[in-house]
Amino acid sequence: MNGIVDLATLLKSLVPQLVDGDYVFCSVSGSISDHASLEPVAAIREPEGLTLILPAAVAEREGFDFNQRYRQITLTVHSSLEAVGLTAAVSAVLADSNIPANIVAGYYHDHIFVPRDKADKALQILNRLGDSTE
């Protein structure tokens, strides 16, 4: 099933949802198979180490260092990986309100990790984003 490519349609169809719980970004050594049992939301291999996005409770239980707690906002629209401009539009509107946006694309949806204390404001902004395209 192909996702939506047209930016205007994507913005009108975002339906952002705040996911329960806090998430953290951790850098660990080893391979993803060493940490698969932790069921990370995402894993990214970098030269400096393996970045895991984990529920905060899991990271604390494992004794991992992290700097900030984030909330996850999922854009429930099925966006195509070939869509142009969605990430830019979302990050720009959040940047205008001084909200950092760490965006991870999945096959079906985009997921935005924002600082916990700015999550409600980010959700309000994203809910209005589709209105601005009419």
Side-chain angles (χ1 to χ4, degrees):
M1 181 172 162
N2 297 328
I4 299 169
V5 175
D6 179 68
L7 181 59
T9 303
L10 284 168
L11 294 176
K12 289 178 185 174
S13 308
L14 287 182
V15 190
Q17 291 186 344
L18 189 60
V19 176
D20 289 336
D22 291 349
Y23 293 86
V24 299
F25 288 68
C26 303
S27 181
V28 299
S29 60
S31 68
I32 187 64
S33 63
D34 297 333
H35 304 286
S37 66
L38 303 179
E39 298 186 14
V41 172
I44 301 163
R45 166 67 56 206
E46 299 178 288
E48 299 85 357
L50 179 66
T51 297
L52 301 177
I53 303 175
L54 296 168
V58 172
E60 289 171 337
R61 181 189 74 216
E62 297 297 315
F64 294 153
D65 290 330
F66 56 88
N67 295 324
Q68 171 77 284
R69 290 174 180 263
Y70 296 88
R71 296 291 307 273
Q72 178 182 348
I73 299 173
T74 296
L75 306 179
T76 61
V77 63
H78 181 185
S79 56
S80 169
L81 291 169
E82 299 296 317
V84 175
L86 180 60
T87 300
V90 167
S91 61
V93 69
L94 293 175
D96 287 345
S97 294
N98 201 36
I99 299 174
N102 298 285
I103 301 174
V104 178
Y107 185 83
Y108 293 100
H109 308 289
D110 291 89
H111 309 273
I112 305 142
F113 292 87
V114 299
R116 177 176 59 181
D117 62 338
K118 297 183 179 190
D120 290 331
K121 184 175 181 182
L123 188 62
Q124 291 172 356
I125 291 166
L126 293 172
N127 274 314
R128 290 192 310 260
L129 185 56
D131 298 339
S132 66
T133 61
E134 294 177 1

